Amino acid sequence: QVQVVESGGGLVQTGGSLKLSCVVSGSDFRMEAMAWYRQAPGKQRDLVAAIHGNGFTNEADFAKGRFTISRASAKNMVYLQMDSLKPEDTAVYYCLARRLDSRYWGQGTQVTVSS
């Protein structure tokens, strides 16, 4: 069975940095796309950034210039480097992996930014 596990969340001060990691296991096939989403209490789950099989990346406006998504050459790991963090970045960050019509979600990792 496919497992998606995030790590790297924690508590940081405004202006600090975190690097989130996502590991996909249990599949012999390359995930065609991987992405990071986030959800704050009482709000919808929003796309943060995505990386596709052809190397194309896209990110939300709030992430531009601050967050960078990357994928390991093994194709089973994806990272989110977050710099210049703000209190409004506080949320649970989720990793999504996709292959064909299947989508696999992780349990999320908490990011808290203090003012």
Side-chain angles (χ1 to χ4, degrees), residues 2-9 19-25 31-39 45-51 69-72 75-80 82 91-99 102-111:
V2 176
Q3 298 288 328
V4 180
V5 180
E6 305 96 334
S7 63
K19 186 175 184 178
L20 307 183
S21 299
C22 174
V23 179
V24 180
S25 62
M31 297 294 148
E32 296 164 355
M34 299 185 71
W36 288 96
Y37 285 73
R38 73 183 189 184
Q39 186 170 25
R45 186 173 297 187
D46 294 324
L47 174 70
V48 178
I51 186 165
I69 189 169
S70 61
R71 189 169 183 173
K75 302 295 185 182
N76 67 337
M77 297 185 68
V78 67
Y79 308 95
L80 183 69
M82 303 188 294
V92 177
Y93 284 70
Y94 297 91
C95 181
L96 170 68
R98 180 184 65 80
R99 178 182 179 270
S102 298
R103 295 181 177 182
Y104 308 96
W105 289 95
Q107 293 297 310
T109 184
Q110 176 71 48
V111 172

Side-chain angles (χ1 to χ4, degrees), residues 12-17 82-87 89 113-114:
V12 298
Q13 297 179 353
T14 297
S17 298
M82 303 188 294
D83 299 316
S84 301
L85 285 163
K86 307 173 182 179
D89 295 320
V113 184
S114 62

